[in-house]
Amino acid sequence: MEPMLKVTGLAVSYGHVEALRGVSVEVQKGQIVSIIGANGAGKTTLLRTISGLVRPQNGSILFEGEELPKKPSKIVAKGVVQVPEGRKCFSGLTVRDNLLVGGYLFKGRDLEKDLEEQYKLFPRLKERENQFAGTFSGGEQQMLAVARGLMSRPKILLLDEPSMGLAPLIVDQIYDLIRQIRERGITVLLVEQNAKKALGICDYAYVLENGRISLSGTGQELLRSDDVRKAYLGG
Ligand code: ATP
């Protein structure tokens, strides 16, 4: 089956820094695919390039068999939606307004209905609809950032380090949420330093090392791999 997302030979440089060197990744519809790798391996660059925020020097990105548009807003409109590293919630806006930002490209839609959909998945956000996002904990801000992404009705959600800086219990909650998102039929490309969690949830995974894919396999295969255990799982 043709993959939903097919990245081939992607090369990205920032001046002299080669962040990605010929990266190829495929994501099948309905799957959770993880990219694991150390700090600075190029994970964020990969997501930002797919989202149109960084221009590649080389390579192609096909989504549902077609090249993505160049403009980030048009890429979102196609259903490719990124939840950025560090949440990037608008701290001076309420929960409700943060969510409405996620729907702003879609003025013709019934955004109230979309809000209700998110509140079903995130009851805590409903309870705190009128609170400022800046008063929230890291875990709550992460939930809000994911819900804001879902307001754009993604076909594929690109998640950048959703577990970063969160306590283990909260990380578990975020990962339960990722499972529920997949159950709703949304495909997920997940970038993580937390290799154990990411490999535990995914159907397929890639290891990114210094801008290259060094290894790939099912989550279970990589959890068993000696190289992965030594480098990413503490032995
Ligand atoms: P992290 O987990 O820290 O986000 P990462 O795997 O996502 O790491 P990237 O942020 O994609 O990695 O960075 C890849 C490389 O590109 C690093 O060497 C980084 O220093 C460099 N880099 C990233 N963004 C820029 C930029 N805007 N200008 C110059 N160099 C950059």
Side-chain angles (χ1 to χ4, degrees):
M1 203 175 56
E2 252 315 280
M4 178 183 227
L5 178 72
K6 187 172 163 123
V7 173
T8 311
L10 209 60
V12 173
S13 298
Y14 302 104
H16 294 301
V17 179
E18 288 182 87
L20 298 179
R21 318 166 192 224
V23 167
S24 300
V25 164
E26 293 188 356
V27 182
Q28 297 291 344
K29 189 171 171 2
Q31 288 197 335
I32 299 177
V33 171
S34 298
I35 313 280
I36 62 165
N39 209 341
K43 306 182 298 300
T44 298
T45 299
L46 175 59
L47 292 194
R48 289 177 59 83
T49 311
I50 296 168
S51 296
L53 300 168
V54 171
R55 289 262 168 275
Q57 272 75 45
N58 231 319
S60 75
I61 301 171
L62 295 182
F63 180 67
E64 295 182 325
E66 288 176 21
E67 241 179 80
L68 280 170
K70 297 258 179 293
K71 228 177 137 186
S73 58
K74 294 211 166 116
I75 294 176
V76 172
K78 286 271 176 197
V80 178
V81 177
Q82 185 173 345
V83 179
E85 182 176 355
R87 357 280 186 212
K88 306 278 195 296
C89 295
F90 299 99
S91 53
L93 295 184
T94 61
V95 164
R96 183 187 161 83
D97 286 343
N98 266 278
L99 292 177
L100 288 174
V101 169
Y104 91 105
L105 282 176
F106 311 100
K107 295 228 164 57
R109 288 182 183 168
D110 182 353
L111 293 180
E112 289 300 326
K113 195 163 151 272
D114 283 7
L115 277 174
E116 285 310 315
E117 280 296 306
Q118 304 324 321
Y119 290 147
K120 271 189 230 155
L121 195 56
F122 305 89
R124 272 187 75 75
L125 295 182
K126 168 81 180 169
E127 286 161 23
R128 310 177 69 180
E129 192 177 29
N130 296 313
Q131 279 192 32
F132 291 118
T135 65
F136 278 24
S137 68
E140 289 165 338
Q141 292 201 16
Q142 185 63 56
M143 305 252 176
L144 179 57
V146 172
R148 181 184 58 195
L150 293 176
M151 283 294 289
S152 307
R153 294 196 198 163
K155 291 180 182 170
I156 183 168
L157 197 62
L158 313 176
L159 290 174
D160 195 348
E161 305 240 10
S163 75
M164 194 174 63
L166 303 179
L169 207 65
I170 311 295
V171 173
D172 289 347
Q173 288 174 12
I174 301 282
Y175 271 74
D176 281 343
L177 195 65
I178 297 172
R179 278 194 197 91
Q180 288 180 50
I181 288 169
R182 192 244 308 260
E183 279 163 19
R184 293 185 165 210
I186 299 170
T187 306
V188 175
L189 179 59
L190 169 67
V191 152
E192 267 287 6
Q193 278 189 55
N194 188 335
K196 196 167 173 206
K197 289 303 281 185
L199 294 178
I201 199 177
C202 70
D203 300 290
Y204 202 79
Y206 296 86
V207 179
L208 190 59
E209 250 177 43
N210 294 320
R212 290 183 207 278
I213 300 293
S214 60
L215 201 60
S216 66
T218 65
Q220 294 308 313
E221 280 166 358
L222 294 198
L223 278 170
R224 285 195 299 265
S225 142
D226 282 342
D227 289 344
V228 171
R229 293 169 75 98
K230 271 191 213 118
Y232 302 102
L233 299 170

